[in-house]
Amino acid sequence: MKTTTISNLAVMKANGEKFAVITAYDFTFSKLIENAGIEVVLVGDSLGNVIQGCDSTIPVTIDDMAYHTAAVKRGNNRALLITDMPFMSYATEMQALDNAAILMQAGAQMVKLEGGAWLADTVHLLSERGIPVCGHVGLTPQSVHKLGGYKVQGKEDQAAEQMIADAQALEQAGAELIVVECVPSALGKQLSDALAIPVVGIGAGPDTDAQVLVLHDMLGISQRLPRFSKNFLGDEVSIQEAITAYGNAVRSGTFPAPEHCFK
Ligand code: KIV
């Protein structure tokens, strides 16, 4: 099994091959994810929900993210390791640079930021200084109070067009991956078609270049299973097999199924 690089992912997109992304927060699960051959591991700030028991990702700190990144890194040398920059850690360009450096030194190989075109200068700055960036558009959980809840985004034409323009601005600024969360399937496809970089969907339909799920959701052990997720442990006898089944389902295009998608 080879190590995943950003260029491998770009080639996969060009060849129409899908890849799988999953969150991890500790060494043991990270090792299972490595064994399963999952291409990308995300140390998500969803750790605020599934590890810390908070009702949003807002309380998560840069120290929390660095701690979990180091643990995940120790368990996985094959997947590309992305770490979320937490709430307000990239409010200014200098904060973004300082905090991204902390995460890269903890073991991240790419950092993820939530937001649209307003982040373009920040993305450019990080990218120019050797820090690969993943954007995150659609439902951006750090803005839950601004969005008025965890709702499907981009349902109206104007909002969909704005989201595509935002994603294109991030790509132009140097982003090398984009996560799109909770949008109608048609918009997930439009985004993947509009961008040269890989688009990773979560609740964004079957046509994105890759899929990401929160580990605790896909094992059916989180407090509430989101409609767009699936309990892969339900059909398997071990956690290792469930993670492997998820990777295979993403690569073969059998996940997500229509019941996991939005119109
Ligand atoms: O924090 C996280 O786990 C994420 C995924 C939902 C994409 O950002």
Side-chain angles (χ1 to χ4, degrees):
M1 200 193 313
K2 60 179 191 213
T3 303
T4 308
T5 61
I6 298 168
S7 8
N8 296 149
L9 300 179
V11 170
M12 289 180 88
K13 170 156 182 153
N15 292 341
E17 289 170 49
K18 292 186 186 287
F19 59 89
V21 185
I22 194 165
T23 67
Y25 317 98
D26 69 11
F27 170 84
T28 301
F29 280 103
S30 183
K31 187 51 80 188
L32 295 178
I33 290 164
E34 179 183 65
N35 294 342
I38 301 293
E39 288 84 354
V40 180
V41 63
L42 169 67
V43 184
D45 61 355
S46 51
L47 69 84
N49 305 103
V50 298
I51 302 293
Q52 298 174 334
C54 303
D55 62 4
S56 79
T57 57
I58 292 172
V60 178
T61 67
I62 194 76
D63 290 345
D64 295 335
M65 296 310 299
Y67 174 88
H68 289 279
T69 297
V72 168
K73 181 65 197 163
R74 287 192 283 268
N76 201 321
N77 280 312
R78 289 180 177 150
L80 183 79
L81 197 165
I82 307 177
T83 297
D84 269 334
M85 297 199 65
F87 181 68
M88 283 300 143
S89 66
Y90 49 98
T92 68
E93 288 176 21
M94 283 321 294
Q95 280 176 325
L97 210 48
D98 289 347
N99 288 320
I102 292 172
L103 299 181
M104 297 296 283
Q105 288 179 331
Q109 293 165 310
M110 179 180 270
V111 296
K112 177 161 80 61
L113 289 74
E114 296 182 6
W118 63 271
L119 275 174
D121 288 344
T122 303
V123 170
H124 184 68
L125 184 77
L126 294 174
S127 175
E128 267 203 325
R129 281 157 181 76
I131 300 177
V133 178
C134 176
H136 184 153
V137 298
L139 173 56
T140 45
Q142 291 171 17
S143 307
V144 60
H145 299 308
K146 180 92 176 157
L147 297 174
Y150 298 100
K151 300 175 187 163
V152 179
Q153 303 294 308
K155 282 164 112 176
E156 311 299 332
D157 287 351
Q158 205 189 338
E161 277 162 28
Q162 181 61 56
M163 203 182 297
I164 294 169
D166 280 336
Q168 285 173 325
L170 295 172
E171 176 178 41
Q172 265 186 347
E176 297 183 85
L177 277 185
I178 298 274
V179 166
V180 56
E181 179 165 354
C182 274
V183 301
S185 299
L187 179 52
K189 174 165 173 38
Q190 274 180 293
L191 280 159
S192 303
D193 291 346
L195 301 185
I197 56 174
V199 174
V200 183
I202 174 163
D207 296 314
T208 54
D209 306 304
Q211 300 288 331
V212 56
L213 285 181
V214 169
L215 176 69
H216 293 56
D217 291 344
M218 59 74 62
L219 293 177
I221 55 170
S222 50
Q223 295 300 302
R224 188 186 60 86
L225 185 68
R227 143 105 190 267
F228 54 75
S229 195
K230 175 180 168 180
N231 174 2
F232 281 86
L233 191 51
D235 299 329
E236 304 296 333
V237 296
S238 70
I239 292 173
Q240 182 69 80
E241 286 177 34
I243 297 171
T244 303
Y246 163 66
N248 291 339
V250 171
R251 283 181 220 106
S252 66
T254 55
F255 177 81
E259 66 266 28
H260 308 119
C261 301
F262 302 108
K263 287 210 173 90

